[in-house]
Amino acid sequence: MTYCVGLLLKAGMVLLADTRTNAGLDNIATYRKLFTFEVPGERVLAIMTAGNLSVTQTTLARLTEAAQHPEADETRSILKAPTLLNVAGIVGDTLAEVTVELQGRMERMSSQQASASLILAGQRKGGPMRMFLIYPEGNFIEATEDTPFLQIGEHKYGKPILDRVVTMDTTLAEAKKAVLLSMDSTLRSNLSVGMPLDMAVIEADALRVTERERIEAKDERFAELSTAWSQALRDAFQRIGWS
Amino acid sequence: MTYCVGLLLKAGMVLLADTRTNAGLDNIATYRKLFTFEVPGERVLAIMTAGNLSVTQTTLARLTEAAQHPEADETRSILKAPTLLNVAGIVGDTLAEVTVELQGRMERMSSQQASASLILAGQRKGGPMRMFLIYPEGNFIEATEDTPFLQIGEHKYGKPILDRVVTMDTTLAEAKKAVLLSMDSTLRSNLSVGMPLDMAVIEADALRVTERERIEAKDERFAELSTAWSQALRDAFQRIGWS
């Protein structure tokens, strides 16, 4: 599995992804699941991936190839599409196309299923920040003021903390803490989600990735955050009463 | 869905179940999912249920009928079986038998699946407290010192808090708080789990249900606990740092 979470706030967007992939419990590897695309000052995009690795890699490869193609036009290039909605359409179409191809192959050969879902976040010059969750079939939903976060993969363990602390007005510093604690709860409860983590921050109207960080398994600050949170939870648990 | 959780502690056992059942989002009802059986001074048993309501009701009805039958013997009656392991065997066999019957029916008539899982907790005179999670096929696992809690139904949202605060040495007062907070996180994040709640406490060696409580949707103590916990989480979140 995987856990990726994205927050869409007034101050900007914060994205966090784990890097564990597995084909069975005895075949574990580290693969990046957070990808960014920039035309500084013009457009910034980030894509996070969950699901079958051959689907997500092929989808990303085709999107990248289409964007780099010398004759790429606005109907195929995520860097040229006029709006973020158009970008979501291109990403969704590519994902659905790859999924159908690979599922056809897999159904012929074995009973395995292959699917994937994505989070797309971005902003183009003159437009608002937008964030989409794109389903295997290529359709998508969008983060809104009422629900300013999107999750893919193993999303349940880390949802209670987000439900409680995240609003559109959350600052970027708090948002980083929130996604890291949401990830920490998931890491503790589910072996199929693993370090290192990739975090990206895109400040509102910066039109570039303003902060990018890989947090390794031995990262002391993350260990401290995790310990402090556990201790704080236990203290709070002791303090509140039920009789 | 459903959320039921049971803790097996040195001091006793604490069980909590929600009461929501649904057949689609537009057909919601309240059904008890926590059942207790007592022969005071001799034996106490509790069963919590998750899954298809016709399976769980039929299973409970057969177990009850078998136990009340004037000629019930120790191979069929959960009140007479010599050990808790034998009780788990009877419950598992009954569940598997009902599941096979109903699935046969359902497969003939529609493509629906029907299955259920149970938590069984109990103690007999002279024996230790034991707690089992019984799967639809009738096989089971048991709570141990390393993992002193079992969950069925929508278990992920409420697991992080249990992972952090529950050990075999947790007191019964703390244990009640822990299961209520675990339920609170689940209620907030998942509509298919709903109030009222049923809680039961079985103190070690009491051989009876020592405390039984239905917590209604309008219960003020539960609302206060929930609010206090949210506030404590937000305060803790503010206090700890990440830079």
Side-chain angles (χ1 to χ4, degrees), chain B residues 204-229:
Chain B
D205 303 324
L207 298 173
R208 60 182 183 86
V209 179
T210 42
E211 206 181 316
R212 197 191 308 261
E213 184 172 6
R214 170 155 285 198
I215 299 159
E216 299 288 347
K218 58 182 186 297
D219 189 285
E220 279 176 27
R221 289 176 315 144
F222 187 71
E224 277 166 28
L225 183 81
S226 175
T227 309
W229 182 241

Side-chain angles (χ1 to χ4, degrees), chain A residues 188-219:
Chain A
R188 273 170 184 265
S189 293
N190 194 303
L191 262 189
S192 71
V193 177
M195 306 276 283
L197 310 176
D198 286 315
M199 184 154 67
V201 178
I202 299 171
E203 278 177 37
D205 302 324
L207 299 173
R208 61 182 182 87
V209 179
T210 41
E211 206 181 318
R212 197 192 309 261
E213 184 173 8
R214 170 155 285 198
I215 299 159
E216 299 288 346
K218 57 181 186 297
D219 189 286

